[in-house]
Amino acid sequence: MKNILGRDVPEFIEGYGKVKQYEGYLSNKSGSVKKDFYFKKLMKEESKLYKDFEKLMDVLPLKDGMVVSFHHHLRNGDYVLNMVMEEIYKRGYKDITLAASSIFPCHKNLVKMIENKVITQIYSAYISGPVAEAISDGKLNKPAIMHTHGGRARIFESGERNIDIAFIAAPTSDEYGNINGVDGKSACGALGYAHTDAELSNVVVAITDNLVQYPNTTIEINQTKIDYVLVVEEIGNPKGIVSGTTQITKNPIGLKVADLTAKFIEESGYLKNGMSFQTGAGGISLAVAAQLKNIMKLKEICGSFASGGITGYLVDMYKEGLFKALFDVQCFDLEAIKSAKENSAHITMSASMYANINNKGAVVDKLDVVILGATEIDTNFNVNVTTGSTGVIMGGSGGHSDTAAGSKLCIIVSQLVNSRISVVKDRVTTITTPGETVDILVTERGIAINPLRIDLIKKFKNSKLPIKTIDELREISKNMTGEEKNVQFLEKIVAVIEYRDGTVIDTIKKLKTF
Amino acid sequence: MKNILGRDVPEFIEGYGKVKQYEGYLSNKSGSVKKDFYFKKLMKEESKLYKDFEKLMDVLPLKDGMVVSFHHHLRNGDYVLNMVMEEIYKRGYKDITLAASSIFPCHKNLVKMIENKVITQIYSAYISGPVAEAISDGKLNKPAIMHTHGGRARIFESGERNIDIAFIAAPTSDEYGNINGVDGKSACGALGYAHTDAELSNVVVAITDNLVQYPNTTIEINQTKIDYVLVVEEIGNPKGIVSGTTQITKNPIGLKVADLTAKFIEESGYLKNGMSFQTGAGGISLAVAAQLKNIMKLKEICGSFASGGITGYLVDMYKEGLFKALFDVQCFDLEAIKSAKENSAHITMSASMYANINNKGAVVDKLDVVILGATEIDTNFNVNVTTGSTGVIMGGSGGHSDTAAGSKLCIIVSQLVNSRISVVKDRVTTITTPGETVDILVTERGIAINPLRIDLIKKFKNSKLPIKTIDELREISKNMTGEEKNVQFLEKIVAVIEYRDGTVIDTIKKLKTF
């Protein structure tokens, strides 16, 4: 059947089950929490500490069909997921469900495990590299479930799925499992995505390369959640964990988009005392932050908070008094990590606090302005950040649709045409974020306001900014690119796009020619 | 039947139910977590904020038979429990279970609600004043359940009981329920006992007299747990919330006990680098801390942490580098509150992290030395801190039996004889803490080592300290006091003493003559 966004989503998907259809971003009205398990108590004098990986694996309740989880704060420098999955593979377990908050190119070794049916299901908010390609090529036994960052917290907190064993990369830990991400040679900053895993898994293992004396004096996740502490040589490659610094785009087109965006925000009325703000680490997004910083300083505006993945740019704005607090679910660069350690109003938060639709109030619901990217956007403002122009998975929502839904003003920034490909499509390959939650598209050729935002259309009626309809932008781009070829798919569903409330907003099918 | 401590505890208690008998402090080996409820999601743009108490009460799902909870960090200055219960009383609800972590003399208005069957059951770790007297007098419909601080977290986390509505006194909150106890005119410090309530109750109300702009930049309990924020004039009387400073005893006998205790610890071998330590806010306990401080400085010993209710004395030791960290479940004085705000290694912890037997590792299990008081101690080292010499309830375990069980060296400090009453008895009126978890009794007339501690008896064989058997101390005291009259009780059970694992260690009966 076609869902309300016009996407073909069957009522039942083999390997996924019965589908709850997407019915609008505000349709989910009651929440539930379910947490129900027995665990082995730590007896007095008993130790949690292991220094031998294989000995620890011997005592863990590994089994066929189990769900194992990982968080992605070590990003493309992560050693932990590979280390654990190689051992599970070596020991011959099968039919594993991998719940990894994100998967990167460094996790390429998972492909052989997918091919050999050791891993048969994957939950993730973002997948790029060889694993993404293997999924698009139909190699994974069941459809991958691509959720949002907030959706992941919801799935496990609501008891929709249970995690059997969580493996938590912990840049610093004491022997009792008080962990943080801000100290140690593999420091990665906030550990926001690991909270749900620690909170709700039957067995929780912290894996560290920096064991400190009890008690660790900076604690993000505490001892009451951790069953075992494993000490290894290295949990990750610092070069892959963080970039030294995140960079503002130098591309003049990108800078023009940023300039228009900042001007739009200024004129929109949202730029005022108490404003809250989120932007990603993309080059254009950072350029918007840099422009806003100047405007805020000039106008002596003090915002309330900046949130999300935190970068040095946001830290600078905080330090200059432009934001009262930073809500941090993951740090993108060294400046952010340093600040998370030093500044008491740089507050680390769980993914649930950040973006879960299913709790008593997430930070995204207090967001005024969010700046997001897009691979594609259609003329109904539906956005794709999951699949690339070739139809292959190359990302995923992360917090994209969470922040779009929560914020008062969601702005997509993009070059209109890049390498002869238009960002505006008649139809996007995959819907990641529903158009009803997206307010503005800013491109170098003009700014389109979602017709649902009658208030903004009225407000910008006499603006000197290049306001256009999204259909006009579509026409302009068509003239620049000519007709684009549609990607050809087969019938087999290789991934299910779950909206943050657990409904299915779209599916991804196997590519005809890979 | 008689339990293993020789106490008469029936298999079934009217108004309480089937009894799990106490079987030793290490008998509980597996843990469970159960959290399962639906809640009203906060919709986008919906507000949590109420400034009118009655309007809030109108929207709460109040009903006969409900369980309502409160925490006691405002101690004898608390206005919140009285305010809410008066309103429930006024509205005519009946058969309420009151889960208040502690109850003080300021809560005297509850007596009429007990008499009128509005409150029919009470869970608490410590009860003193008119409510305690009413319970001892048999006025409460069902037996009061007197648990430990850690036991309270266990009861609600394990799903043994559910809290319908939690009312959390919040010295500072933003409109979305990010709360802390360290700011505002009613600052009380750590909010350790409120965490379980926030985590596990269907509906959670934060009540504050200091509303700050979103986001509150110091967050102990966050917005994802709070349904409503109520702003009132005053949540408490600062004079009752904290004493200005806690005071070392000036009594020369008390000082002698403290001196012997410090010397005993020094000789015991536990006073070394990395030692962890807890002591209450009693005058003798504080004197022990003062003595230890001198010894630690002299010997250049650096401990790992001090825990518990934190006082200015422990803060001073932390500041002088004698402890690396403070684990704080509640602050006893202004110095402690200030430190909880300012020092990053002054770590606030939940009651569950502090002392719950039913999680993956509590702080009490990492304790080396704890100094505790006693109303009575028998010759098997069983301690009573629940009932007074008249048989009336005047306290309760709090963290007494939690820390005794967790620590490596549990020392009871007391005057042997006070006002012609001996602390050592042949039989204590009520067992709060089992003797197998108590190692040492220090009095001005000598130090008794629990015979279970063969290692310590051996170690102190040639000590110059006045080591005696507890029977010898009993004899000495008998000669000083003469035979003491036993208190006379009726058959009716008015309170059940639950050990931290949920077994019943003793009961309290109605007094014959009140």
Side-chain angles (χ1 to χ4, degrees):
Chain A
M1 73 170 268
K2 290 226 188 298
N3 70 15
I4 64 163
L5 301 177
R7 313 300 287 200
D8 237 340
V9 177
E11 293 295 316
F12 183 90
I13 297 173
E14 194 60 42
Y16 174 80
K18 201 172 169 313
V19 166
K20 280 184 287 178
Q21 296 287 348
Y22 176 74
E23 289 178 343
Y25 85 111
L26 289 177
S27 65
N28 183 307
K29 290 204 168 54
S30 82
S32 74
V33 169
K34 196 173 166 61
K35 180 174 173 182
D36 194 351
F37 59 89
Y38 284 82
F39 58 88
K40 193 188 134 293
K41 260 181 36 91
L42 193 80
M43 298 305 286
K44 204 176 167 177
E45 308 289 327
E46 206 176 346
S47 172
K48 296 183 177 184
L49 190 64
Y50 282 76
K51 295 193 173 177
D52 183 322
F53 175 45
E54 297 202 3
K55 273 193 188 143
L56 171 66
M57 293 297 271
D58 289 345
V59 304
L60 291 179
L62 304 171
K63 62 182 182 206
D64 290 344
M66 68 187 164
V67 180
V68 293
S69 87
F70 300 87
H71 70 87
H72 73 274
H73 294 87
L74 302 182
R75 281 167 288 263
N76 202 30
D78 173 45
Y79 292 164
V80 166
L81 198 166
N82 287 331
M83 180 181 84
V84 172
M85 289 310 301
E86 283 288 353
E87 186 67 19
I88 287 172
Y89 182 68
K90 207 180 84 184
R91 290 182 182 222
Y93 294 101
K94 297 275 183 207
D95 195 22
I96 307 300
T97 293
L98 174 66
S101 53
S102 296
I103 296 172
F104 291 95
C106 68
H107 300 123
K108 60 180 185 296
N109 286 1
L110 298 180
V111 173
K112 67 173 186 249
M113 303 176 204
I114 291 169
E115 290 170 342
N116 292 328
K117 313 295 175 216
V118 170
I119 296 170
T120 52
Q121 189 164 35
I122 290 177
Y123 284 77
S124 195
Y126 182 98
I127 313 177
S128 67
V131 174
E133 289 159 17
I135 293 169
S136 282
D137 198 17
K139 288 179 174 168
L140 185 65
N141 204 31
K142 297 174 188 169
I145 293 162
M146 300 197 64
H147 45 63
T148 72
H149 282 331
R152 184 176 193 271
R154 187 198 55 76
I155 289 169
F156 298 110
E157 288 184 12
S158 68
E160 209 169 281
R161 283 304 298 259
N162 283 315
I163 298 168
D164 291 301
I165 310 179
F167 295 91
I168 298 183
T172 294
S173 179
D174 60 34
E175 94 239 18
Y176 224 45
N178 291 302
I179 69 174
N180 78 53
V182 294
D183 296 316
K185 64 182 175 185
S186 303
C188 61
L191 300 175
Y193 303 117
H195 286 240
T196 294
D197 309 49
E199 193 74 41
L200 291 149
S201 309
N202 296 26
V203 178
V204 181
V205 180
I207 304 183
T208 192
D209 55 10
N210 185 38
L211 184 73
V212 294
Q213 269 204 323
Y214 186 88
N216 188 0
T217 52
T218 303
I219 301 175
E220 182 168 342
I221 295 173
N222 76 46
Q223 61 186 47
T224 65
K225 315 294 181 197
I226 307 290
D227 294 278
Y228 301 101
V229 176
L230 173 68
V231 183
V232 297
E233 270 301 304
E234 287 175 309
I235 60 169
N237 176 356
K239 283 180 195 156
I241 296 174
V242 281
S243 57
T245 48
T246 41
Q247 297 287 344
I248 290 179
T249 185
K250 291 196 173 72
N251 175 341
I253 299 177
L255 287 172
K256 175 153 190 210
V257 173
D259 184 54
L260 286 174
T261 306
K263 288 196 171 112
F264 184 90
I265 296 171
E266 189 179 2
E267 229 174 287
S268 73
Y270 285 102
L271 189 73
K272 58 184 178 198
N273 280 325
M275 178 191 69
S276 58
F277 179 68
Q278 177 163 339
T279 181
I284 300 179
S285 300
L286 292 176
V288 176
Q291 297 258 18
L292 276 188
K293 178 177 162 181
N294 293 335
I295 301 172
M296 289 173 82
K297 281 172 76 170
L298 204 69
K299 296 197 162 182
E300 293 181 355
I301 287 167
C302 176
S304 62
F305 69 88
S307 60
I310 298 294
T311 59
Y313 290 95
L314 294 174
V315 171
D316 283 346
M317 291 172 85
Y318 162 76
K319 282 188 184 161
E320 296 202 36
L322 302 178
F323 292 109
K324 194 178 123 185
L326 299 172
F327 275 129
D328 189 353
V329 69
Q330 71 172 318
C331 296
F332 280 128
D333 56 28
L334 294 171
E335 272 311 302
I337 296 171
K338 192 160 167 278
S339 167
K341 170 79 183 169
E342 289 171 3
N343 296 314
S344 71
H346 185 144
I347 301 161
T348 55
M349 64 179 167
S350 68
S352 186
M353 179 167 170
Y354 170 39
N356 184 359
I357 197 173
N358 194 47
N359 63 30
K360 294 173 176 179
V363 166
V364 295
D365 290 320
K366 298 299 272 183
L367 253 183
D368 289 326
V369 181
V370 65
I371 311 295
L372 296 168
T375 311
E376 302 175 330
I377 182 168
D378 70 21
T379 49
N380 291 317
F381 288 81
N382 296 307
V383 173
N384 172 24
V385 290
T386 306
T387 47
S389 58
T390 59
V392 179
I393 297 167
M394 40 69 48
S397 171
H400 197 285
S401 47
D402 295 315
T403 50
S407 61
K408 292 197 180 67
L409 183 66
C410 168
I411 303 178
I412 304 292
V413 293
S414 176
Q415 289 193 38
L416 182 60
V417 174
N418 195 355
S419 312
R420 298 197 59 76
I421 295 171
S422 166
V423 71
V424 187
K425 307 282 184 185
D426 297 322
R427 179 189 163 84
V428 292
T429 313
T430 308
I431 297 183
T432 312
T433 296
E436 59 175 330
T437 63
V438 172
D439 299 302
I440 309 295
L441 167 66
V442 181
T443 72
E444 73 281 12
R445 300 297 292 259
I447 299 170
I449 302 173
N450 189 327
L452 293 173
R453 291 301 301 264
I454 299 162
D455 58 329
L456 289 175
I457 287 175
K458 207 169 148 192
K459 183 156 213 156
F460 282 86
K461 209 170 172 183
N462 300 314
S463 170
K464 282 177 183 147
L465 289 170
I467 306 293
K468 295 195 166 63
T469 67
I470 196 157
D471 292 308
E472 286 169 341
L473 291 178
R474 176 69 188 128
E475 279 312 305
I476 294 170
S477 72
K478 258 188 188 167
N479 292 336
M480 293 166 74
T481 62
E483 278 300 324
E484 289 151 356
K485 272 187 299 192
N486 276 331
V487 184
Q488 299 289 306
F489 291 100
L490 300 171
E491 272 314 293
K492 181 186 158 110
I493 292 172
V494 298
V496 171
I497 314 296
E498 272 195 3
Y499 191 58
R500 56 201 303 254
D501 62 3
T503 60
V504 175
I505 192 167
D506 206 350
T507 61
I508 301 174
K509 294 183 175 173
K510 183 169 159 47
L511 277 173
K512 195 164 182 183
T513 45
F514 195 79
Chain B
M1 76 171 266
K2 289 225 186 297
N3 71 15
I4 64 164
L5 301 178
R7 314 299 287 201
D8 238 340
V9 177
E11 294 294 316
F12 182 90
I13 298 173
E14 195 59 44
Y16 175 81
K18 203 173 166 308
V19 166
K20 282 185 285 176
Q21 296 286 348
Y22 176 74
E23 289 178 343
Y25 85 111
L26 290 176
S27 66
N28 183 307
K29 291 203 167 52
S30 83
S32 74
V33 169
K34 195 172 166 65
K35 181 175 173 180
D36 194 350
F37 58 87
Y38 285 82
F39 58 91
K40 193 188 134 293
K41 259 179 37 88
L42 193 81
M43 298 306 286
K44 204 176 166 173
E45 308 289 327
E46 206 175 344
S47 171
K48 296 184 180 185
L49 190 64
Y50 282 74
K51 295 192 174 179
D52 182 322
F53 174 46
E54 296 203 3
K55 274 196 187 140
L56 171 66
M57 293 297 271
D58 289 344
V59 305
L60 291 181
L62 303 172
K63 62 182 181 204
D64 290 342
M66 68 186 162
V67 180
V68 294
S69 86
F70 299 86
H71 70 88
H72 72 275
H73 294 87
L74 301 182
R75 280 167 290 263
N76 203 28
D78 174 45
Y79 292 163
V80 167
L81 199 167
N82 287 334
M83 179 180 86
V84 172
M85 288 309 302
E86 282 289 353
E87 186 67 20
I88 287 172
Y89 181 68
K90 206 180 86 185
R91 290 180 183 225
Y93 294 102
K94 296 274 181 207
D95 195 22
I96 308 300
T97 293
L98 173 67
S101 53
S102 296
I103 295 172
F104 291 94
C106 67
H107 300 123
K108 60 181 185 296
N109 285 1
L110 298 180
V111 173
K112 66 173 185 248
M113 304 177 203
I114 291 169
E115 290 170 342
N116 292 330
K117 312 297 174 213
V118 170
I119 296 170
T120 51
Q121 188 163 35
I122 291 178
Y123 284 75
S124 196
Y126 181 98
I127 312 177
S128 66
V131 175
E133 289 158 18
I135 293 169
S136 283
D137 198 17
K139 289 179 175 169
L140 185 65
N141 205 30
K142 298 175 189 170
I145 293 162
M146 300 199 63
H147 45 63
T148 72
H149 282 331
R152 183 175 193 271
R154 188 198 55 75
I155 288 169
F156 298 110
E157 289 185 11
S158 68
E160 209 170 280
R161 282 306 296 259
N162 283 316
I163 298 168
D164 292 301
I165 310 179
F167 295 91
I168 297 182
T172 294
S173 178
D174 59 34
E175 95 238 18
Y176 224 44
N178 291 302
I179 70 174
N180 77 52
V182 294
D183 296 319
K185 63 181 175 185
S186 302
C188 60
L191 299 174
Y193 304 115
H195 286 241
T196 294
D197 309 50
E199 193 74 42
L200 291 149
S201 308
N202 296 26
V203 178
V204 182
V205 180
I207 303 182
T208 192
D209 56 11
N210 185 37
L211 184 72
V212 295
Q213 269 207 322
Y214 186 89
N216 188 357
T217 52
T218 302
I219 301 174
E220 183 169 340
I221 295 173
N222 76 47
Q223 61 186 47
T224 64
K225 315 294 180 198
I226 307 290
D227 294 278
Y228 301 101
V229 176
L230 172 69
V231 184
V232 296
E233 270 302 304
E234 286 176 310
I235 60 169
N237 177 355
K239 282 180 197 157
I241 295 172
V242 282
S243 57
T245 47
T246 41
Q247 297 287 343
I248 290 178
T249 184
K250 290 194 175 76
N251 174 342
I253 300 177
L255 288 172
K256 176 155 188 206
V257 173
D259 184 54
L260 286 174
T261 306
K263 288 194 171 115
F264 184 89
I265 296 170
E266 188 179 5
E267 230 175 287
S268 73
Y270 285 104
L271 190 73
K272 59 184 179 196
N273 280 324
M275 178 192 70
S276 56
F277 179 68
Q278 178 162 338
T279 182
I284 300 181
S285 301
L286 292 175
V288 175
Q291 296 260 18
L292 275 188
K293 177 177 163 182
N294 294 335
I295 301 173
M296 289 174 81
K297 282 173 79 172
L298 203 70
K299 295 197 161 182
E300 294 183 354
I301 287 167
C302 176
S304 61
F305 69 87
S307 60
I310 298 295
T311 59
Y313 290 95
L314 293 174
V315 171
D316 283 346
M317 291 173 84
Y318 162 76
K319 281 187 184 162
E320 296 203 35
L322 302 179
F323 292 109
K324 195 176 122 184
L326 299 172
F327 276 129
D328 189 352
V329 70
Q330 70 173 318
C331 297
F332 280 127
D333 57 27
L334 293 171
E335 272 309 304
I337 296 170
K338 192 160 169 275
S339 167
K341 170 81 182 169
E342 289 171 2
N343 296 314
S344 71
H346 186 144
I347 301 161
T348 55
M349 64 178 168
S350 68
S352 185
M353 180 167 171
Y354 170 38
N356 184 358
I357 197 173
N358 194 45
N359 65 29
K360 295 173 177 179
V363 166
V364 294
D365 290 320
K366 299 299 272 182
L367 254 185
D368 289 327
V369 180
V370 66
I371 311 295
L372 296 168
T375 311
E376 302 175 328
I377 181 168
D378 70 20
T379 49
N380 291 317
F381 288 81
N382 296 307
V383 173
N384 172 23
V385 290
T386 305
T387 46
S389 57
T390 59
V392 179
I393 298 167
M394 40 69 46
S397 172
H400 198 285
S401 48
D402 296 316
T403 50
S407 62
K408 292 196 181 67
L409 183 67
C410 167
I411 302 177
I412 305 293
V413 293
S414 177
Q415 289 192 40
L416 182 60
V417 174
N418 195 354
S419 312
R420 297 197 61 77
I421 295 170
S422 166
V423 71
V424 187
K425 306 281 184 186
D426 297 322
R427 180 189 160 84
V428 292
T429 313
T430 308
I431 296 184
T432 312
T433 297
E436 58 174 333
T437 63
V438 173
D439 299 302
I440 310 296
L441 167 67
V442 182
T443 72
E444 73 281 12
R445 300 295 291 258
I447 300 169
I449 302 173
N450 189 328
L452 293 171
R453 291 302 300 266
I454 300 165
D455 59 328
L456 289 175
I457 288 177
K458 208 169 146 192
K459 184 157 212 153
F460 283 86
K461 209 169 173 181
N462 300 314
S463 171
K464 283 179 184 145
L465 290 169
I467 307 293
K468 296 200 166 60
T469 67
I470 196 157
D471 291 307
E472 287 168 342
L473 291 178
R474 175 70 187 127
E475 280 311 306
I476 294 170
S477 71
K478 259 188 189 167
N479 292 335
M480 294 166 73
T481 63
E483 279 298 325
E484 290 152 358
K485 272 187 299 190
N486 275 332
V487 184
Q488 299 288 307
F489 292 100
L490 300 172
E491 273 313 294
K492 182 185 158 114
I493 292 173
V494 298
V496 170
I497 313 295
E498 272 196 3
Y499 191 58
R500 58 201 303 252
D501 62 3
T503 60
V504 175
I505 193 167
D506 207 349
T507 61
I508 300 174
K509 295 183 174 173
K510 183 169 161 40
L511 276 173
K512 197 167 180 182
T513 45
F514 194 79

